[in-house]
Amino acid sequence: MWVLIGVLILVTFIIILYFVIMIKLKKLSRKIFGTSDIGKVIQTGEFLDEETPKSLSSLDNLYLDQIKRDFPEMNINELKSLVETNIIECMDAIEEKNIKGLKTTNEKIRRYVLAKIRDLKDNHIEYKDIKFHKTVVSKYENKKGIATIYFGTAFEYFYKKNQGVFHKKQDRIITECIYVIDFEQVDSKIKSLGLNCPNCGAPIKALKYKKCSYCNSGVIDLVTRSFTINNMENR
């Protein structure tokens, strides 16, 4: 009997607490958003999340002059376009669940895509209407024989999983581009290079040998004549 009374008191307390919390939430919602409809506020928040591009820390003004001094022949806009093209190629590979369509042989980029494919498991995903908002320089380094530019890219797309409906998503990716200036200075313990031999596809484990340890093909020209995309990650 006393147990039943205790349960009833507890249930009554929970119900009263629920209504008190809801009343306070509605008052707060009305004060901040102009409506006491919590569901509408949630929908508005979801809408804003879908429509608001991801923020980027643009340091173009800080680094572009330095990059131009170090590489006067380089076209920064072409490199930004290369970064965006690489993102599309990776999304295509994720959608197809196959990395054969990737033009890059970079080991770290391929691992990034394979990890995304593994995360899908048995699910299938479809992308459409990819739109880039902006690609900016977020960081630049020139040390230990390697110049590195980090690009931040904000973009949006529609996606659906399996037979579901399309949803809009805002996304942001950081892409690392490298230029090997002096391979003899490169310390593999400091800088991880996801480079692969253009002839056999084997990972390039050390630049100091100048040739692929598997097929003996020359590899230095591959990484010293232009910027190469070396890594990417979602942030």
Side-chain angles (χ1 to χ4, degrees):
M1 181 66 178
W2 290 109
V3 174
L4 180 59
I5 292 174
V7 171
L8 290 173
I9 292 173
L10 179 61
V11 171
T12 302
F13 174 76
I14 292 173
I15 293 173
I16 293 172
L17 182 63
Y18 168 79
F19 280 107
V20 170
I21 292 174
M22 289 303 297
I23 290 170
K24 289 185 176 181
L25 282 176
K26 287 184 178 182
K27 286 182 178 179
L28 183 63
S29 176
R30 190 183 300 111
K31 182 178 179 180
I32 297 175
F33 302 105
T35 177
S36 59
D37 189 337
I38 303 299
K40 189 174 182 180
V41 171
I42 293 173
Q43 289 178 351
T44 301
E46 292 174 347
F47 174 77
L48 290 174
D49 190 54
E50 291 177 352
E51 296 298 325
T52 306
K54 296 285 187 180
S55 61
L56 295 171
S57 298
S58 175
L59 296 176
D60 281 17
N61 294 334
L62 179 64
Y63 289 124
L64 282 182
D65 287 342
Q66 184 180 350
I67 293 172
K68 288 177 181 178
R69 286 196 300 270
D70 292 346
F71 303 96
E73 303 298 322
M74 188 192 69
N75 187 322
I76 194 71
N77 290 325
E78 287 184 359
L79 191 52
K80 289 181 178 181
S81 178
L82 176 65
V83 166
E84 293 175 358
T85 299
N86 179 72
I87 291 173
I88 292 175
E89 289 178 359
C90 289
M91 293 179 73
D92 287 342
I94 294 168
E95 183 178 277
E96 296 295 327
K97 288 190 171 183
N98 194 327
I99 63 172
K100 290 183 178 179
L102 289 176
K103 293 181 181 179
T104 180
T105 59
N106 181 278
E107 185 180 9
K108 289 199 282 189
I109 299 297
R110 295 167 82 86
R111 286 203 304 264
Y112 167 87
V113 174
L114 286 172
K116 294 288 186 180
I117 293 173
R118 283 195 299 271
D119 288 343
L120 288 175
K121 298 180 181 178
D122 294 329
N123 297 305
H124 297 276
I125 200 163
E126 182 179 345
Y127 300 109
K128 73 173 185 177
D129 298 338
I130 301 170
K131 177 184 176 183
F132 291 98
H133 298 300
K134 187 182 294 185
T135 294
V136 300
V137 175
S138 58
K139 188 178 180 182
Y140 174 63
E141 298 175 335
N142 190 338
K143 60 183 180 181
K144 298 294 183 181
I146 296 180
T148 307
I149 302 177
Y150 296 90
F151 290 100
T153 302
F155 62 108
E156 67 180 41
Y157 51 87
F158 287 85
Y159 75 99
K160 73 174 181 177
K161 186 178 287 187
N162 299 324
Q163 301 302 315
V165 298
F166 278 99
H167 297 278
K168 191 174 185 178
K169 181 176 176 62
Q170 301 289 339
D171 212 339
R172 177 177 53 213
I173 282 181
I174 303 299
T175 302
E176 175 193 73
C177 295
I178 63 169
Y179 191 116
V180 180
I181 302 169
D182 185 351
F183 63 87
E184 293 189 0
Q185 292 186 42
V186 176
D187 186 344
S188 59
K189 294 181 181 179
I190 296 175
K191 191 72 174 180
S192 174
L193 304 180
L195 301 172
N196 296 71
C197 172
N199 183 51
C200 71
I204 299 173
K205 296 181 178 179
L207 293 176
K208 61 183 179 180
Y209 301 117
K210 303 182 182 181
K211 292 185 177 181
C212 175
S213 58
Y214 290 88
C215 69
N216 210 38
S217 298
V219 295
I220 295 305
D221 287 343
L222 171 72
V223 296
T224 56
R225 61 182 152 196
S226 63
F227 273 92
T228 305
I229 295 176
N230 187 56
N231 201 6
M232 60 191 295
E233 59 179 288
N234 295 90
R235 287 188 187 175

